[in-house]
Amino acid sequence: MTAIRTARERAREELTREIKQEARRQLASEGAQRLSLRSVARELGMASSAIYRYFPSRDELLTALIVDAYTDLADTADAALAAAPAAPRARWRALCTAVRDWTHAHPHEYALVYGTPVPGYRAPQETVGPAARLPLALIAVAGEGRADAGAPPPPPAPAGPLGEQLSRLRAELAPGLPEAVLARAAIAWTQLFGMIGFELFGHLVGSFDPADAFFAHAVEEMADLVGLPAEG
Amino acid sequence: MTAIRTARERAREELTREIKQEARRQLASEGAQRLSLRSVARELGMASSAIYRYFPSRDELLTALIVDAYTDLADTADAALAAAPAAPRARWRALCTAVRDWTHAHPHEYALVYGTPVPGYRAPQETVGPAARLPLALIAVAGEGRADAGAPPPPPAPAGPLGEQLSRLRAELAPGLPEAVLARAAIAWTQLFGMIGFELFGHLVGSFDPADAFFAHAVEEMADLVGLPAEG
DNA sequence: TGTACATCAGTGAACGCGCGTTCACTGATGTAC
DNA sequence: TGTACATCAGTGAACGCGCGTTCACTGATGTAC
């Protein structure tokens, strides 16, 4: 069924891909807020109005790029996990490293999704699912570490409003994970992107630049925090 | 000597202040990349060309705003420390909380200095000093914790390139601090801004929103990591 | 204290640029009979 | 297989907008004598 496509359909799919590809190229050279439909059209050799046959507005194009970026990052992370050894700490390391490598390869797509929101743009619902894949992968690896033999006893679960948020999230995402460990996985999640953001946005210049060793060290500290057993 | 100012000098200082104030207002309503000299001038009721008597270009105005933002944040942090009790953990908490509160009160100034860099703008040397004040304050409080009685024994110092970066930083900034603790303070620094960035840019919606309790919890975990003694 | 000149703030018009979006249109592709 | 009509991609001009920066200028403020 999907095999039967008219020439029109094929042309449409191809041009949609080319528009996004050119938009990504401009993201990389100019940044997200400088992305303009007119210059995408110019570069593709078509009238600026033609873009509107494919994306009804600039915001819709941005949304498509955002969904693609989240998806590409999560796919890359999944692939790294699939290729990683079985030990939870090794998998944690592989996951964090894959995330950092992806952001280095796609700094402007990183900025698009994790940087300052584009003024006037509000992320629609369809970005939520793709955005959640990466934190879910981090939590999953933390969970594998718990299932493992050498895991330390879990710390007491936080009380109060945080306890309520944690128990809701736990029920949805990670029934096997103690709440305190879920909290630490979430902390590690913010830590991971905090470090990457600082690195890419120049805040480590003059202190930890290059940041490879600092990053590797922090990844191990976070693995400790989450309670992943040491190797060997 | 500074008391003798001509009317011209006083007018110039006042208008310089007013321009920056209006620019900050626009930062807050439009974001950094939408900040325009023309609309600042318009709002102030003057010709757009008049701004050039005060700031030779848009980039110079941005630089002034950046320096002001770093300085205001660091001043706020210093004031919070001055008002905090003596116990290192309480001071750590006061410092982290003051930083978060400031970013909530000034989200667009936060985005200006810690968000995606404005495309085409390169931060000049004069921003470096003000930018460094906050990490220095975090390291200082970590150092106070070490001097305290109940501090745990320091972990072994990292080797390799990270060890070299750490020993250079240690010599410059914190001679009394073990290198592994300095590394953890740096990790906590990136963690602090990672969490704040996620909160302000909407990545905690659907999980830790409101983020107050999550933040408070993470601050304690970071205090543990840095080795600040528990209270009581 | 008064005058002549130098300095400087602020004006308004202009340059050249790019943007998102709309609209009536042409011509090619697809579909029903 | 051929024809008549419907659908759709792409065009090019236009609307209305805002931007950073330059320039020759006017008029007020400051300074030296």
Side-chain angles (χ1 to χ4, degrees):
Chain A
M1 4 204 110
T2 60
I4 302 169
R5 291 181 307 161
T6 62
R8 247 186 207 163
E9 279 168 334
R10 271 182 288 112
R12 168 165 266 276
E13 281 168 29
E14 194 174 325
L15 241 176
T16 304
R17 245 197 323 277
E18 276 176 33
I19 289 170
K20 290 200 289 188
Q21 187 181 312
E22 174 57 30
R24 265 190 293 267
R25 245 189 30 75
Q26 298 200 6
L27 225 53
S29 65
E30 302 291 330
Q33 20 296 99
R34 297 252 169 121
L35 173 67
S36 93
L37 295 187
R38 289 190 96 109
S39 76
V40 167
R42 210 180 300 127
E43 219 59 38
L44 258 47
M46 64 201 305
S48 60
S49 47
I51 301 285
Y52 287 81
R53 299 274 171 220
Y54 295 86
F55 295 94
S57 73
R58 182 175 178 272
D59 277 8
E60 300 270 344
L61 176 56
L62 272 179
T63 297
L65 294 175
I66 287 170
V67 168
D68 281 5
Y70 277 130
T71 300
D72 190 36
L73 171 59
D75 285 349
T76 303
D78 286 351
L81 279 181
R89 185 174 284 254
R91 291 170 66 71
W92 177 262
R93 196 154 42 218
L95 183 50
C96 293
T97 304
V99 171
R100 176 166 178 259
D101 289 349
W102 184 89
T103 64
H104 280 238
H106 308 87
H108 287 87
E109 281 165 283
Y110 165 82
L112 177 66
V113 295
Y114 289 108
T116 312
V118 177
Y121 174 84
R122 282 234 82 50
Q125 197 58 28
E126 62 190 292
T127 62
V128 171
R133 285 178 58 195
L134 191 80
L136 283 176
L138 285 164
I139 289 169
V141 174
E144 295 170 15
R146 298 307 301 178
D148 215 73
L162 178 59
E164 289 164 30
Q165 291 170 334
L166 285 169
S167 70
R168 194 169 350 102
L169 289 170
R170 191 177 108 103
E172 282 175 38
L173 315 173
L177 211 57
E179 284 173 15
V181 177
L182 180 56
R184 288 180 170 179
I187 289 172
W189 170 51
T190 67
Q191 159 65 23
L192 175 62
F193 283 94
M195 202 164 23
I196 289 173
F198 264 22
E199 183 184 7
L200 288 179
F201 292 167
H203 295 280
L204 300 186
V205 172
S207 52
F208 300 100
D209 180 30
D212 306 68
F214 178 55
F215 182 84
H217 181 74
V219 166
E220 301 304 322
E221 294 272 12
M222 287 302 119
D224 291 343
L225 181 75
V226 172
L228 301 186
E231 276 131 327
Chain B
M1 1 205 111
T2 60
I4 301 170
R5 292 182 308 161
T6 62
R8 248 186 205 163
E9 280 168 334
R10 271 182 287 113
R12 168 166 267 274
E13 281 168 29
E14 195 173 325
L15 242 176
T16 304
R17 246 196 323 276
E18 276 176 32
I19 289 171
K20 291 200 289 188
Q21 187 180 311
E22 174 58 30
R24 265 190 292 268
R25 246 190 28 77
Q26 297 200 7
L27 225 54
S29 65
E30 301 291 331
Q33 20 293 100
R34 297 252 169 122
L35 173 67
S36 92
L37 294 187
R38 290 189 95 108
S39 77
V40 168
R42 209 179 301 127
E43 220 59 38
L44 259 45
M46 65 201 305
S48 60
S49 47
I51 301 284
Y52 287 82
R53 300 274 171 221
Y54 295 86
F55 296 94
S57 73
R58 183 174 177 271
D59 277 7
E60 300 271 344
L61 175 57
L62 272 178
T63 297
L65 294 175
I66 287 170
V67 168
D68 282 4
Y70 277 130
T71 301
D72 190 36
L73 170 59
D75 286 349
T76 303
D78 286 350
L81 279 180
R89 185 173 283 256
R91 292 170 65 72
W92 177 263
R93 195 154 43 219
L95 183 50
C96 292
T97 305
V99 171
R100 176 167 178 259
D101 289 348
W102 184 90
T103 65
H104 280 239
H106 307 87
H108 287 87
E109 281 165 283
Y110 164 82
L112 177 65
V113 294
Y114 289 108
T116 311
V118 177
Y121 173 83
R122 283 232 82 52
Q125 197 58 28
E126 62 190 291
T127 62
V128 171
R133 285 179 57 195
L134 192 81
L136 284 176
L138 284 164
I139 289 169
V141 173
E144 293 170 18
R146 298 307 302 177
D148 214 74
L162 178 59
E164 288 165 31
Q165 290 170 336
L166 285 170
S167 70
R168 192 168 353 104
L169 289 170
R170 191 177 108 105
E172 281 176 38
L173 314 173
L177 210 57
E179 285 173 14
V181 177
L182 179 57
R184 287 180 171 177
I187 289 171
W189 170 51
T190 68
Q191 159 65 20
L192 174 64
F193 283 94
M195 202 164 22
I196 289 173
F198 263 22
E199 183 184 7
L200 288 179
F201 292 167
H203 295 280
L204 299 185
V205 172
S207 51
F208 300 99
D209 180 30
D212 306 68
F214 179 54
F215 182 85
H217 181 75
V219 166
E220 301 304 322
E221 294 272 11
M222 289 299 119
D224 292 343
L225 181 75
V226 171
L228 301 186
E231 276 131 327

